[in-house]
């Protein structure tokens, strides 16, 4: 959430400098994600008054005649969409000749016969905001024509504050200021209060009286949709540009200016944390509003941006009162039946409808300030894919007592803009007030591990807005209504620690007694750390990806479709739990910048196939490991990938064997001619090989990509210590000629089975194909190591070699003599 430093300083006059404020916010659980220095407009940007706006025929330009003050009358040509409708007296920001914005210096130039004296600017062109949709406009009389804009629009620092989901009260300037004032033990300046309502309002409001329990809700709470609703009216408005101070605040908060009436509603949301809605009173038929659920599923609502949304009977809606004699949304529809426009003013707490939206010619408005059910709104917004500033606050929970204050504040600001405020207000329902909590001070001290006086606890909680009654070591605490996250005594203890300062908590070593049932519980995490350290040591970079996937991604990767589905997926790309790890690695590889020559990624994560949840290790290699200067294919490709796996096995002290896979045994993700089974310590653990070209194309991966996926934990083997043999080893080399389809693994299996106990190890040291080896065959040279507790003689080793040669020839293979 973005807030300007100047706004916080207005509410907390004793606010420390930014260098001291940053650690203070962090200690309060509101750390800064970043800060931005927003400069004032350059000196050459002036506030000028429009005297006339004339379209230039045959073009999309508008000739603007301006009163620039001491520089006299001037004219410019503007292509902004809002230039053609400017009324005399409207003020705008003019970049005068000789002024530099960024790398561009502006001057006088001729456009369609107009000697354009500088340029009328948008907020983005002045680096004051992101909106470039039109010129920055201000009400007539904002300043004398020719006033430098920087004299009214000072430089500021914008704080980007990280607000956790439980601290919905901190999603506004007042909420952050409350915490700062409490931490500094300094007075808080409350925002101005609007004129309080006296008497009944002009709008009749009907709230739902019968609620229901949502299926799957563990609280079994009966939900109405809205339990508190306030409506006020302001008439006689002249809608137009917002005052300069209001636009400045909104732009610094990362919002944009729409119009004076709409901006007031947004401003109060950033100030107090209460989302509101304003309706054109012409569309609030019969001066009645219906709130609730019951519009039949399938009804289409068009929002104020022109987007259409299909609602269900579980969505909370705001309807006008076009049908008399009914008091509910369902009743209104039952009486009218299907119709193109069922009179929807908005999807409650989420977005306003086109029907009822404030227009440039709106003069009379209805103010809505309400408390809506957070669960119902979250379900609706998630289903519709709508995440507005309003629902961002409502779904986290807002102060249930705030609607009257917000409605009064908006009414007062609209009155300042020239509106005529009706003194009354319509109040429907009543707010749910927080329950008292009982706090044992001794329990709090035990939980915190430090001695804090009971009186100090009460003082800290009082500074946060709580009402505290003390009776010895017992405190009865009523949380403030804006702190909906204070529900149990432990929440109060957390607040005491937060305000007292986590840094002041003593450092003590806890007394740990390991239960026999937990002996060795750390083994699995230790093995994971050792595995990750070994993989990282080989040059792989760890990635942590989403465990969510979609049917489309599973089809692209030829993996099993997700069988565990999310009821409320965040996006269409994450609708279920993944069933394999390698699609996540392929997606990570595809997201790398173009031109990445070498990529080594690994992930340790869980998958959720039909067979049940399991943990996997995945490796991915793209590109060469080193310059290909020795021999083609050695610096990269499959040999390099297999070599990395062999190095990993050596680091972990494991036995490794790769068995070639063919036919139906080849995983769908791999190339049929380059796939192998990973046998770890004699147990099949997974597979490795080259990604199937069609899958690589689906993910946009050019060139060969190699994958490995093995199940965790990796099979172990018993460890034993043996004294090194004092007797020397005997070595023999053997070159076997076999069909090219016969791999080393098959040869090694035969040699181990026939050699007997004297064979301690064997390893290949050369592979050759070509003359004089027959076509379609290859020669694999193997070194055999024999050892015993005594020095072996040729008479003992030679019979073993003869037995091996006989077994080799029995397979139809031969021995290479030279």
């Amino acid at each position: 959430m973005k807030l300007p430093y100047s706004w916080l300083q207005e509410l907390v006059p004793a606010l420390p400098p930014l260098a001291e404020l940053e650690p203070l916010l962090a200690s309060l659980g509101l750390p800064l994600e970043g800060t931005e220095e927003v400069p004032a407009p350059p000196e050459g940007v002036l506030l000028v008054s429009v005297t006339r706006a004339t379209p230039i025929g045959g073009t999309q330009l508008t000739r603007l005649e301006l009163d620039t003050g001491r520089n006299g009358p001037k004219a410019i040509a503007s292509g902004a969409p809002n230039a053609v409708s400017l009324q005399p007296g409207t003020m705008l920001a003019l970049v005068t000749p000789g002024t530099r914005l960024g790398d561009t210096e502006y001057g006088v130039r001729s456009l369609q016969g107009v000697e354009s004296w500088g340029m009328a600017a948008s907020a983005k062109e002045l680096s004051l905001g992101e909106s470039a949709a039109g010129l920055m406009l201000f009400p007539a009389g904002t300043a004398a024509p020719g006033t430098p804009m920087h004299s009214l629009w000072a430089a500021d620092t914008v704080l980007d504050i990280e607000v956790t989901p439980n601290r919905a009260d901190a999603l506004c300037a007042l909420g952050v200021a409350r915490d700062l004032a409490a931490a500094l033990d300094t007075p808080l300046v409350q925002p101005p209060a609007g004129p309080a309502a006296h008497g009944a309002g002009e709008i009749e409001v009907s709230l739902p009286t019968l609620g229901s329990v949502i299926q799957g809700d563990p609280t079994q709470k009966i939900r109405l949709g809205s339990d508190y609703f306030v409506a006020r009216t302001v008439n006689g408005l002249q809608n137009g540009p917002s005052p300069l101070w209001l636009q400045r605040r909104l732009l610094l908060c990362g919002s944009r200016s729409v119009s004076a009436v709409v901006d007031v509603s947004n401003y109060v949301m950033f100030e107090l944390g209460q989302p509101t809605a304003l309706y054109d009173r012409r569309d609030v038929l019969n001066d009645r509003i219906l709130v609730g659920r019951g519009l039949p599923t399938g009804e289409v609502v068009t929002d104020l941006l022109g987007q259409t949304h299909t609602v269900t009977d579980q969505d909370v809606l705001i309807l006008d009162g076009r049908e008399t004699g009914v008091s509910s949304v369902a009743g209104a529809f039952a009486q009218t039946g299907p119709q193109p426009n069922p009179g929807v003013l908005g999807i409650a707490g989420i977005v306003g409808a086109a029907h009822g939206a404030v227009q440039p010619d709106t003069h009379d408005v209805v103010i809505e300030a309400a408390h809506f059910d957070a669960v119902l709104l979250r379900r609706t917004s998630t289903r519709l894919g709508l995440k507005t500033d309003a629902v961002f606050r409502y779904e986290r929970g807002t102060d249930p007592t705030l609607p009257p204050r917000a409605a009064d504040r908006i009414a007062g600001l609209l009155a300042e803009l020239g509106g005529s405020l009706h003194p009354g207000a319509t109040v429907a329902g009543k707010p749910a007030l927080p329950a008292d909590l009982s706090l044992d001070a001794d329990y709090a001290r035990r939980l915190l591990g430090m001695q804090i006086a009971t009186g100090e606890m009460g003082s800290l909680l009082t500074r946060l807005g709580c009402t505290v009654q003390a009776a010895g070591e017992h405190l009865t605490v009523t949380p403030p209504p804006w702190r909906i996250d204070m529900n149990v005594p432990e929440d109060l203890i957390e607040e005491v620690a937060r305000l007292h300062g986590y840094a002041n908590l003593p450092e003590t070593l806890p007394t740990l007694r390991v239960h026999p049932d937990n002996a060795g519980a750390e083994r699995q995490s230790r093995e994971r750390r050792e595995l990750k350290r070994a993989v990282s040591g080989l040059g792989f970079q760890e990635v942590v990806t989403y465990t969510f996937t979609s049917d489309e991604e599973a089809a692209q990767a030829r993996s099993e479709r997700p069988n565990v589905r999310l009821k409320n997926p965040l996006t269409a790309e994450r609708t279920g739990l993944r069933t394999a790890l390698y699609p996540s690695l392929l997606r990570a590889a595809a997201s790398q910048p173009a031109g990445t020559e070498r990529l080594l990624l690994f992930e340790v994560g869980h998958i959720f196939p039909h067979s049940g949840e399991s943990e996997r290790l995945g490796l991915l290699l793209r590109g060469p490991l080193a310059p290909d200067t020795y021999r083609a294919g050695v610096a990269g490709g499959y040999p390099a990938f297999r070599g990395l796996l062999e190095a990993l096995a050596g680091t972990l002290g494991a036995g490794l064997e790769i068995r070639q896979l063919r036919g139906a045994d080849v995983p769908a993700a791999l190339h049929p001619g380059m796939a192998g089974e990973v046998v770890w310590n004699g147990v099949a653990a997974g597979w490795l090989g080259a990604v199937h070209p069609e899958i690589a194309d689906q993910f946009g991966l050019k060139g060969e990509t190699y994958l490995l996926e093995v199940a965790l934990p990796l099979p172990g083997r018993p460890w034993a210590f043996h004294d090194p043999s004092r007797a020397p080893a005997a070595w023999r080399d053997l070159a076997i000629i076999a069909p090219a389809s016969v791999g080393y693994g098959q040869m090694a299996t035969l040699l181990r089975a026939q050699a007997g106990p004297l064979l301690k190890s064997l390893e290949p040291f050369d592979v050759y194909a070509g003359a004089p080896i027959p076509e379609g065959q290859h020669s694999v040279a193997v070194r055999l190591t024999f050892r015993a507790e005594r020095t072996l003689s040729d008479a003992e080793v030679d019979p073993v070699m003869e037995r091996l040669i006989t077994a080799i020839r029995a397979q139809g293979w031969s021995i290479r003599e030279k």
Side-chain angles (χ1 to χ4, degrees):
M1 180 189 65
K2 293 183 177 180
L3 283 177
Y5 178 88
S6 60
W7 199 354
L8 290 177
Q9 193 173 41
E10 182 180 299
L11 300 174
V12 186
L15 195 68
L18 183 60
E20 300 175 21
L21 180 61
E22 184 170 357
L24 176 60
L25 285 169
S27 71
L28 293 172
L30 300 171
L32 290 182
E33 292 186 346
T35 61
E36 180 185 1
E37 298 295 331
V38 180
E43 291 187 8
V45 178
L46 307 180
L47 291 175
V48 300
S49 180
V50 177
T51 59
R52 187 179 181 186
T54 308
I56 300 175
T59 73
Q60 294 182 339
L61 300 178
T62 302
R63 174 189 171 89
L64 298 178
E65 297 176 28
L66 308 172
D67 178 2
T68 66
R70 62 184 178 182
N71 291 300
K74 299 292 181 181
I76 63 169
S78 175
N82 59 345
V84 68
S85 59
L86 293 183
Q87 298 299 312
T90 302
M91 303 199 76
L92 53 79
L94 180 69
V95 183
T96 58
T99 303
R100 181 177 291 275
L101 296 180
D103 297 331
T104 304
E105 181 176 327
Y106 292 85
V108 179
R109 57 176 178 165
S110 179
L111 292 174
Q112 295 295 326
V114 179
E115 289 296 315
S116 194
W117 197 74
M119 179 192 71
S122 67
K124 187 169 186 178
E125 288 164 333
L126 294 176
S127 299
L128 301 177
E130 294 300 320
S131 177
L135 304 178
M136 287 194 77
L137 304 178
F138 307 101
T142 296
T147 301
M149 190 174 176
H150 69 80
S151 65
L152 300 176
W153 196 298
D156 212 329
T157 301
V158 175
L159 312 178
D160 193 353
I161 303 173
E162 180 184 345
V163 182
T164 53
N166 65 308
R167 289 300 309 277
D169 65 294
L171 288 171
C172 61
L174 179 59
V176 176
R178 282 194 188 108
D179 262 21
L180 290 171
L184 297 169
D185 197 12
T186 189
L188 172 70
V189 178
Q190 290 285 343
H198 299 285
E202 297 180 294
I203 305 299
E204 180 185 347
V205 176
S206 296
L207 289 185
T209 57
L210 296 176
S212 61
V213 176
I214 298 177
Q215 184 177 3
D217 184 358
T219 66
Q220 295 295 294
K221 178 181 177 180
I222 296 178
R223 302 187 181 277
L224 298 173
S226 176
D227 55 7
Y228 197 33
F229 194 105
V230 176
R232 295 196 69 173
T233 54
V234 179
N235 305 314
L237 287 163
Q238 295 297 322
N239 198 12
S242 292
L244 182 144
W245 70 267
L246 179 54
Q247 293 194 44
R248 180 177 180 273
R249 282 272 167 90
L250 291 177
L251 289 172
L252 290 174
C253 289
S255 186
R256 65 184 181 92
S257 177
V258 179
S259 68
V261 175
V262 175
D263 288 356
V264 163
S265 174
N266 291 333
Y267 174 78
V268 171
M269 179 182 66
F270 287 119
E271 181 182 65
L272 303 179
Q274 171 67 50
T276 57
L278 300 181
Y279 303 120
D280 190 320
R281 191 171 177 180
R282 292 173 296 185
D283 292 329
V284 183
L285 304 185
N286 298 318
D287 279 346
R288 296 180 65 245
I289 288 177
L290 303 177
V291 184
R293 293 177 284 175
L295 201 67
T297 297
E299 200 69 38
V300 175
V301 175
T302 303
D303 68 23
L304 45 79
L305 297 178
Q307 303 295 317
T308 58
H309 309 285
T310 303
V311 298
T312 73
D313 58 1
Q314 294 301 305
D315 297 329
V316 183
L317 302 174
I318 314 294
L319 267 65
D320 64 30
R322 60 183 55 196
E323 297 302 326
T324 59
V326 297
S327 59
S328 68
V329 170
F333 188 87
Q335 184 163 326
T336 61
Q339 53 185 304
N341 176 15
V344 177
L345 295 170
I347 303 175
I350 299 174
V351 68
H355 175 63
V358 172
Q359 305 295 334
D361 63 346
T362 295
H363 299 298
D364 306 329
V365 298
V366 177
I367 303 169
E368 169 207 293
H371 182 257
F372 295 112
D373 188 283
V375 173
L376 291 176
L377 262 64
R378 186 185 307 117
R379 285 175 172 242
T380 298
S381 68
T382 300
R383 183 179 57 79
L384 297 178
L386 288 171
K387 292 297 179 182
T388 60
D389 284 337
V391 79
F392 186 77
R393 288 158 174 80
Y394 274 128
E395 69 182 2
R396 285 159 173 76
T398 56
D399 180 351
T401 67
L402 194 53
R405 179 177 179 180
D408 293 347
R409 177 67 166 138
I410 290 176
L413 290 171
L414 292 179
E416 292 178 12
L417 296 178
S420 175
L421 172 62
H422 186 277
T426 302
V427 179
K430 60 181 180 179
L433 299 177
D436 290 347
L437 298 176
S438 180
L439 177 61
D440 186 322
D442 287 333
Y443 171 65
R445 284 187 280 267
R446 290 197 306 273
L447 197 63
L448 294 176
M450 70 179 301
Q451 294 300 313
I452 302 179
T454 305
E456 184 179 357
M457 291 185 194
S459 175
L460 294 174
L461 292 171
T462 300
R463 279 155 55 181
L464 287 170
C466 299
T467 301
V468 181
Q469 295 179 340
E473 295 299 304
H474 179 80
L475 301 177
T476 300
V477 182
T478 305
W482 58 83
R483 288 302 303 272
I484 62 171
D485 58 321
M486 293 186 186
N487 300 304
V488 294
E490 287 76 12
D491 292 332
L492 301 178
I493 297 172
E494 180 185 3
E495 292 302 306
V496 168
R498 188 172 67 94
L499 211 56
H500 182 73
Y502 293 122
N504 296 322
L505 295 176
E507 296 180 1
T508 57
L509 290 174
T511 302
L512 297 178
R513 295 181 177 88
V514 180
H515 192 277
D517 291 346
N518 294 330
E522 81 290 349
R523 177 182 176 183
Q524 184 175 2
S525 61
R526 184 180 68 248
E527 290 177 349
R528 293 294 177 276
R529 288 196 302 270
E530 293 174 354
L531 175 63
K532 289 184 177 182
R533 188 181 301 115
V535 176
S536 298
L538 295 173
F540 286 87
Q541 176 71 41
E542 183 177 11
V543 295
V544 180
T545 63
Y546 286 104
T547 56
F548 306 130
T549 186
S550 64
D551 289 343
E552 292 74 17
E553 184 175 79
Q556 288 178 336
R558 299 183 182 177
S559 63
E560 181 184 328
R561 293 178 60 186
N563 72 95
V564 180
R565 304 282 179 172
L566 300 180
K567 289 186 177 179
N568 297 304
L570 297 176
T571 67
E573 292 77 29
R574 303 186 185 116
T575 57
L577 296 180
R578 64 188 177 192
T579 58
L581 196 60
Y582 72 87
S584 300
L585 291 173
L586 292 175
R587 185 171 61 241
S591 67
Q592 299 304 307
T596 303
E597 294 185 358
R598 184 179 67 174
L599 192 62
L600 294 94
L601 302 177
F602 85 93
E603 180 174 15
V604 173
H606 287 257
I607 64 171
F608 305 84
H610 285 281
S611 57
E613 179 182 357
S614 63
E615 191 176 19
R616 297 294 176 95
L617 165 67
L619 304 181
L620 179 144
L621 169 66
R622 282 176 54 78
L625 294 180
D628 202 0
T629 56
Y630 171 61
R631 192 170 68 184
V634 173
Y638 180 77
F641 192 51
R642 174 170 175 158
L644 290 170
L645 183 59
E646 291 172 347
L648 176 64
T651 301
L652 299 177
L656 174 69
E657 182 182 350
I658 306 297
R659 297 173 181 167
Q660 187 173 3
L661 294 174
R662 293 188 180 87
D665 294 332
V666 177
L670 300 184
H671 190 294
M674 199 174 295
E677 182 181 39
V678 177
V679 180
W680 193 275
N681 285 330
V683 179
W687 49 259
L688 87 165
V691 177
H692 197 289
E694 294 178 0
I695 296 178
D697 288 342
Q698 289 287 332
F699 284 86
L701 299 174
K702 306 299 182 183
E704 290 186 337
T705 302
Y706 300 89
L707 286 173
L708 170 139
E709 187 167 319
V710 294
L712 296 180
L714 290 169
R717 63 179 179 182
W719 289 88
F721 175 78
H722 298 281
D723 288 327
S725 175
R726 298 177 180 274
W731 293 277
R732 296 289 190 274
D733 291 344
L734 195 62
I736 305 171
I737 299 176
S741 60
V742 176
Y744 166 72
Q746 188 174 346
M747 298 177 184
T749 300
L750 176 67
L751 295 176
R752 288 194 183 98
Q754 297 295 325
L758 295 182
L759 179 66
K760 296 304 178 186
S761 67
L762 71 161
E763 58 183 9
F765 64 87
D766 184 57
V767 178
Y768 175 75
I773 305 300
E775 186 176 352
Q777 298 191 358
H778 63 166
S779 168
V780 179
V782 182
R783 175 157 295 170
L784 300 95
T785 302
F786 299 93
R787 191 187 296 274
E789 295 301 321
R790 63 188 182 284
T791 301
L792 293 173
S793 65
D794 290 344
E796 294 175 288
V797 176
D798 287 347
V800 177
M801 292 299 298
E802 290 174 3
R803 189 164 66 246
L804 293 179
I805 293 172
T806 300
I808 290 170
R809 287 173 173 160
Q811 295 290 324
W813 308 338
S814 60
I815 302 300
R816 183 179 176 186
E817 302 297 339
K818 295 183 180 180

